[in-house]
């Protein structure tokens, strides 16, 4: 498996949580939420589970409560940013990510990592991945599409 090999090359810190999923649990999540999770992310959740990489990035396996809470945080953050007239405007494309985001990571700098669920493709079974700095919505950054590339680049 890809992530079993990757463990040997990167620093993985134990999160203290036992959040390793089975394939059946992930399929149930997909069915309940009407989404398809990227294959490499499912492999990650079945191999490593929720955890932290170095001092930088925490990656979460899918939990409904995480999705709901992240959605509220993203919405409030964007609204606060847009209420401040000194801030630059945010494009509809970027603000649209909030309504279609699938949250899966965060770092201690107040940045979250999401997939834009509007961008799923059968050809690669992936979504566009974005880093969203909650205080700087004008600096949303497209990371790529492949979850395993994202993890390797940490």
């Amino acid at each position: 498996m890809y992530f079993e090999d990757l463990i040997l090359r990167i620093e993985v810190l134990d999160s203290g949580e036992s959040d390793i999923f089975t394939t059946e649990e992930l399929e149930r999540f997909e069915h309940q939420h009407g989404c398809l999770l990227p294959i490499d992310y499912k492999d990650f959740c079945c191999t490593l589970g929720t955890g932290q990489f170095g001092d930088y990035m925490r990656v979460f396996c899918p939990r409904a409560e995480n999705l709901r809470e992240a959605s509220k945080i993203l919405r409030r953050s964007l609204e606060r940013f847009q209420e401040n007239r000194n801030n630059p405007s945010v494009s509809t494309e970027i603000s649209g990510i909030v309504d279609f985001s699938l949250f899966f990571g965060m770092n201690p700098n107040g940045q979250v990592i999401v997939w834009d669920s509007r961008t799923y493709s059968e050809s690669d079974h992936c979504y566009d991945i974005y880093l969203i700095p909650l205080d700087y919505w004008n600096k949303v950054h497209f990371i790529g599409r492949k979850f395993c590339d994202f993890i390797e680049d940490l």
Side-chain angles (χ1 to χ4, degrees):
M1 292 178 112
Y2 173 80
F3 287 104
E4 289 171 348
D5 295 334
L6 184 62
I7 291 171
L8 302 173
R9 296 180 292 169
I10 61 175
E11 180 185 13
V12 179
L13 301 179
D14 185 359
S15 67
E17 301 172 26
S18 178
D19 205 13
I20 295 176
F21 280 62
T22 65
T23 304
E24 293 76 23
E25 288 172 311
L26 294 171
E27 288 171 354
R28 189 170 33 256
F29 179 89
E30 290 175 318
H31 178 72
Q32 289 172 343
H33 296 279
C35 65
L36 295 173
L37 299 171
I39 293 168
D40 49 356
Y41 175 70
K42 290 193 271 191
D43 186 26
F44 171 88
C45 291
C46 290
T47 305
L48 293 173
T50 295
Q52 183 170 326
F53 293 86
D55 293 329
Y56 185 67
M57 185 60 63
R58 182 166 200 70
V59 176
F60 296 90
C61 291
R63 295 264 183 230
E65 57 272 15
N66 289 349
L67 289 178
R68 283 191 295 273
E69 187 60 27
S71 179
K72 288 178 194 174
I73 290 169
L74 288 170
R75 169 93 29 232
R76 281 193 303 257
S77 170
L78 177 59
E79 287 169 357
R80 278 195 310 268
F81 185 85
Q82 290 175 323
E83 286 170 0
N84 184 339
R85 296 185 191 273
N86 295 327
N87 286 334
S89 63
V90 176
S91 72
T92 17
E93 179 183 340
I94 296 300
S95 61
I97 291 173
V98 172
D99 296 325
F100 297 95
S101 65
L102 294 171
F103 163 81
F104 70 90
M106 64 185 293
N107 67 30
N109 300 326
Q111 300 170 323
V112 297
I113 309 297
V114 301
W115 285 296
D116 181 347
S117 66
R118 300 172 293 183
T119 63
Y120 185 82
S121 170
E122 286 290 330
S123 64
D124 64 1
H125 304 283
C126 295
Y127 299 97
D128 288 351
I129 302 172
Y130 288 91
L131 177 126
I132 301 175
L134 295 178
D135 293 333
Y136 301 100
W137 278 84
N138 56 315
K139 298 187 184 212
V140 171
H141 179 69
F142 172 74
I143 293 175
R145 286 189 59 82
K146 295 191 67 66
F147 177 77
C148 59
D149 292 346
F150 163 73
I151 293 296
E152 239 184 279
D153 290 342
L154 290 177

